[in-house]
Amino acid sequence: MATRTSFENSNEIGVFSALTNSYCLTGIGGSENFFSVFESELSDHVPVIHATIAGCRFVGRTTVGNRRGLLVPSTATDIELSHLRNSLPDAVVVQRIEERLSALGNIISCNDHVALVHPDVDRETEDVISDVLGVEVFRQTVAGQALVGSYAKFTNQGGMVHPRTTVEDIEELSSLLQVPLVAGTVNRGSDVLGAGMVVNDWTSFVGQATTSTEISVIESIFKLNAGKQGQSNTITDMRSSLIDQLS
């Protein structure tokens, strides 16, 4: 299921939160509403943690992670690092990374098996991503954009890419990632998918401005409506039998 929310009137919720299959980070805001939305949906399954990176709230754009690990930029303080290590599950490795391009959420997009990275990241960074997150790393662009973390979002079930991505590129990326992909938008036509939504294998959160059409595409490609699948099949069967009767 996809849940609409906003961070202090901003629809760019992917800037202020990060979600994986084993934890969720949210930026510290003036209001607890944002945190409560995540907590009510996730607290039975994964820990929801208040965090800052370098004293800033945009944890979604400065960090990147999956169920095995979390990478933070060199600007993260020792106190922030120890807070994350204490709060996250023991199995999750937290690693600080020395990378010139420090907005890791913008330059890396990953699931639990594969990571796409900005073509210009350091060789050492590539090795750390591979070791800590336990993924295969590919240098890629999406629709000619180097910021793969901003313009591509994928889980172990499926993924969404920039709306101007060509069919050939989608097929190439899909075979690379081994998940189905679709070109789409969030927040009423925004192509910055990384900033507009966070998603894992069973739930997703999107900006308040996201239309119901965008939500249905998101739920369909990320396979978030498994519970509704039987229901929709029944409706389809009913429709087709009704059409048969009418014809």
Side-chain angles (χ1 to χ4, degrees), residues 141-145 150-152 160-171 173 182-186 189-193:
T141 59
V142 173
Q145 306 279 354
S150 302
Y151 296 108
M160 189 177 267
V161 292
H162 189 289
R164 299 232 172 133
T165 314
T166 62
V167 176
E168 292 78 16
D169 283 358
I170 290 176
E171 283 173 2
L173 287 169
V182 70
T185 59
V186 72
S190 165
D191 52 20
V192 190
L193 304 172

Side-chain angles (χ1 to χ4, degrees), residues 10-215:
S10 168
N11 291 316
E12 309 292 343
I13 61 151
V15 172
F16 303 102
S17 61
L19 175 64
T20 72
N21 289 333
S22 57
Y23 58 86
C24 174
L25 306 180
T26 68
I28 294 173
S31 131
E32 280 294 285
N33 289 5
F34 187 65
F35 180 77
S36 337
V37 171
F38 283 88
E39 199 173 39
S40 64
E41 281 290 322
L42 300 169
S43 56
D44 294 346
H45 312 287
V46 296
V48 183
I49 300 151
H50 274 310
T52 59
I53 297 293
C56 299
R57 305 182 295 183
F58 34 79
V59 292
R61 299 297 81 205
T62 47
T63 66
V64 69
N66 62 12
R67 69 182 167 85
R68 296 187 194 88
L70 175 68
L71 299 175
V72 300
S74 52
T75 51
T77 65
D78 292 343
I79 294 169
E80 288 166 342
L81 215 55
S82 61
H83 164 65
L84 287 168
R85 285 189 174 128
N86 294 337
S87 310
L88 289 168
D90 294 341
V92 177
V93 180
V94 183
Q95 175 77 45
R96 194 191 267 146
I97 201 164
E98 297 290 334
E99 166 60 52
R100 183 176 52 86
L101 305 165
S102 62
L104 303 178
N106 286 339
I107 61 164
I108 303 163
S109 186
C110 70
N111 61 13
D112 294 336
H113 310 292
V114 188
L116 299 182
V117 302
H118 189 294
D120 298 340
V121 299
D122 296 341
R123 177 74 210 166
E124 295 78 37
T125 303
E126 205 178 316
D127 295 340
V128 173
I129 294 166
S130 182
D131 294 345
V132 174
L133 303 183
V135 293
E136 274 190 273
V137 181
F138 299 102
R139 291 172 188 260
Q140 269 294 345
T141 59
V142 173
Q145 306 279 354
L147 296 175
V148 288
S150 302
Y151 296 108
K153 200 81 186 153
F154 56 94
T155 65
N156 303 325
Q157 311 284 345
M160 189 177 267
V161 292
H162 189 289
R164 299 232 172 133
T165 314
T166 62
V167 176
E168 292 78 16
D169 283 358
I170 290 176
E171 283 173 2
E172 184 191 334
L173 287 169
S174 187
S175 66
L176 205 61
L177 304 173
Q178 293 295 297
V179 295
L181 293 179
V182 70
T185 59
V186 72
N187 281 332
R188 205 179 288 273
S190 165
D191 52 20
V192 190
L193 304 172
M197 67 172 165
V198 290
V199 60
N200 69 8
D201 283 353
W202 70 86
T203 190
S204 120
F205 297 86
V206 296
Q208 203 81 53
T210 305
T211 64
S212 48
T213 310
E214 288 169 338
I215 284 181

Side-chain angles (χ1 to χ4, degrees), residues 231-242:
Q231 188 185 341
S232 68
N233 289 344
T234 312
I235 292 166
T236 310
D237 294 345
M238 282 164 65
R239 271 206 196 113
S240 49
S241 65
L242 193 65

Side-chain angles (χ1 to χ4, degrees), residues 217-234:
V217 171
I218 288 165
E219 287 184 339
S220 161
I221 193 66
F222 291 111
K223 299 182 176 59
L224 302 177
N225 44 7
K228 300 181 200 165
Q229 203 60 55
Q231 188 185 341
S232 68
N233 289 344
T234 312

